[in-house]
Amino acid sequence: MALTVSQAFPILLDRLVPLETDRKAKADHRASVEASLQGAASFNIQRFRETGSFTHGTGIRGHCDVDLLASIGGSRPGSSDTALGWVKNALSTTFWNTTVVIRRPTVVVLFSGGTETWEVLPAFRTSPTADTPVYDIPGASSGWMSAAPTAHLDYVTAVNQKAGLNNGAKKLARLAKAWKYYNAVPVSSFYLEMRAAEYMDVQTYFDPATDLCRFLEWLNKIKLAQMNDPTGKASRFSPCSSDATYATALSNLNTAATRARKALNAQEAGSQSNAFEWWNLVFNGRFPSR
């Protein structure tokens, strides 16, 4: 139980960290997923690379999708649908009793009824071997786009380690993702993470309540605009997979930004009870009790 909002946010952040059982489940399935893809006759796997929130240290307890980039050798097919089909067919053959679906830009394997999710991303390396890896991956809605997962991880980590921020980039990313998951907001977790790092890159300290409020308001002000790659190595990042999900996400964001501002105003006015009520609405009933 927290007496103030300032005490509640560290409690919430602790609750968001994945459990050791989440990590064990991830390790238990990795070998079988990789073996399935390596045994496929239709394409040649060159290497695997874990990407995404679990590896970046921004995963949310209970929502720990594991992102596995599968680097495929040979010529890239003209259609990204073809590559997604290759991966889906291989995984469906191996895990015949498990749901395997295409959800761009990945193929999703729903182990244990969906409580453990693996997202496999087909990729074709376009950069020279000695350079930072850059890949062509399926686009959010169609076609191909470029991605540089190690460069993006390095960017988030560098911002997170800046003096005075107290690991604020990753903490803010976790809070934003918690809002997303708890409210089923159809916005990209990767987009939120990269935007959180961009926001924190120009800050000198991190306060969870203040910065989450200002971050949501900033995203609302720019209307979830596409983001240029801060590393300059890959394509722009889209916030959503379609116009329909974009409209829904923007509506959800506007509501959250309004509620977060009311929460912060109440806190600054000394009304802790009202602040707790508004933050509880932001997190759809998951904010720590007072």
Side-chain angles (χ1 to χ4, degrees):
M1 181 175 293
L3 297 179
T4 67
V5 168
S6 296
Q7 293 170 329
F9 268 99
I11 294 172
L12 175 60
L13 283 163
D14 285 344
R15 291 178 181 175
L16 297 179
V17 177
L19 297 170
E20 187 58 35
T21 52
D22 294 328
R23 301 182 186 280
K24 184 178 184 303
K26 173 184 77 76
D28 287 346
H29 275 119
R30 173 161 181 165
S32 58
V33 169
E34 291 186 355
S36 172
L37 296 173
Q38 287 171 329
S42 55
F43 57 96
N44 174 39
I45 293 291
Q46 292 186 324
R47 68 165 299 171
F48 295 102
R49 184 186 301 277
E50 281 194 33
T51 64
S53 61
F54 209 107
T55 303
H56 288 197
T58 58
I60 303 299
R61 185 181 304 181
H63 299 275
C64 286
D65 297 347
V66 182
D67 300 328
L68 187 68
L69 181 147
S71 181
I72 301 174
S75 300
R76 190 201 75 185
S79 172
S80 55
D81 291 333
T82 300
L84 288 166
W86 289 346
V87 173
K88 180 180 183 296
N89 290 338
L91 293 171
S92 295
T93 299
T94 302
F95 306 110
W96 56 269
N97 201 30
T98 299
T99 300
V100 181
V101 295
I102 294 175
R103 292 179 187 165
R104 279 185 166 271
T106 64
V107 177
V108 182
V109 188
L110 301 170
F111 291 112
S112 303
T115 57
E116 182 201 343
T117 303
W118 277 75
E119 297 187 357
V120 181
L121 181 69
F124 293 82
R125 183 160 181 165
T126 59
S127 60
T129 303
D131 293 349
T132 299
V134 179
Y135 302 90
D136 278 350
I137 64 171
S141 58
S142 64
W144 296 94
M145 63 177 289
S146 59
T150 57
H152 299 153
L153 173 57
D154 290 344
Y155 168 71
V156 174
T157 300
V159 174
N160 194 61
Q161 293 175 344
K162 288 180 66 174
L165 294 188
N166 190 28
N167 300 317
K170 293 188 178 183
K171 288 178 181 177
L172 181 60
R174 269 209 168 102
L175 291 171
K177 291 179 185 183
W179 161 72
K180 161 199 162 75
Y181 286 120
Y182 293 164
N183 294 278
V185 182
V187 63
S188 163
S189 294
F190 174 68
Y191 176 87
L192 291 177
E193 181 172 321
M194 295 302 289
R195 282 295 194 191
E198 180 186 27
Y199 169 89
M200 289 305 303
D201 195 25
V202 295
Q203 308 303 318
T204 57
Y205 71 96
F206 173 67
D207 175 77
T210 301
D211 285 309
L212 178 58
C213 175
R214 292 176 179 173
F215 179 62
L216 292 172
E217 289 179 328
W218 174 57
L219 290 181
N220 194 42
K221 180 180 179 180
I222 65 173
K223 298 187 181 299
L224 290 175
Q226 289 193 349
M227 179 181 176
N228 291 327
D229 180 10
T231 71
K233 295 183 178 298
S235 303
R236 302 180 79 192
F237 312 139
S238 296
C240 304
S241 61
S242 68
D243 289 342
T245 54
Y246 170 74
T248 300
L250 201 56
S251 176
N252 294 151
L253 174 61
N254 183 266
T255 298
T258 300
R259 289 171 170 174
R261 174 50 59 182
K262 289 182 177 180
L264 192 60
N265 287 345
Q267 179 183 350
E268 292 174 347
S271 179
Q272 292 290 332
S273 58
N274 284 340
F276 269 83
E277 290 177 8
W278 284 115
W279 282 123
N280 202 39
L281 288 173
V282 171
F283 290 103
N284 197 20
R286 307 287 188 90
F287 197 67
S289 300
R290 189 170 184 222

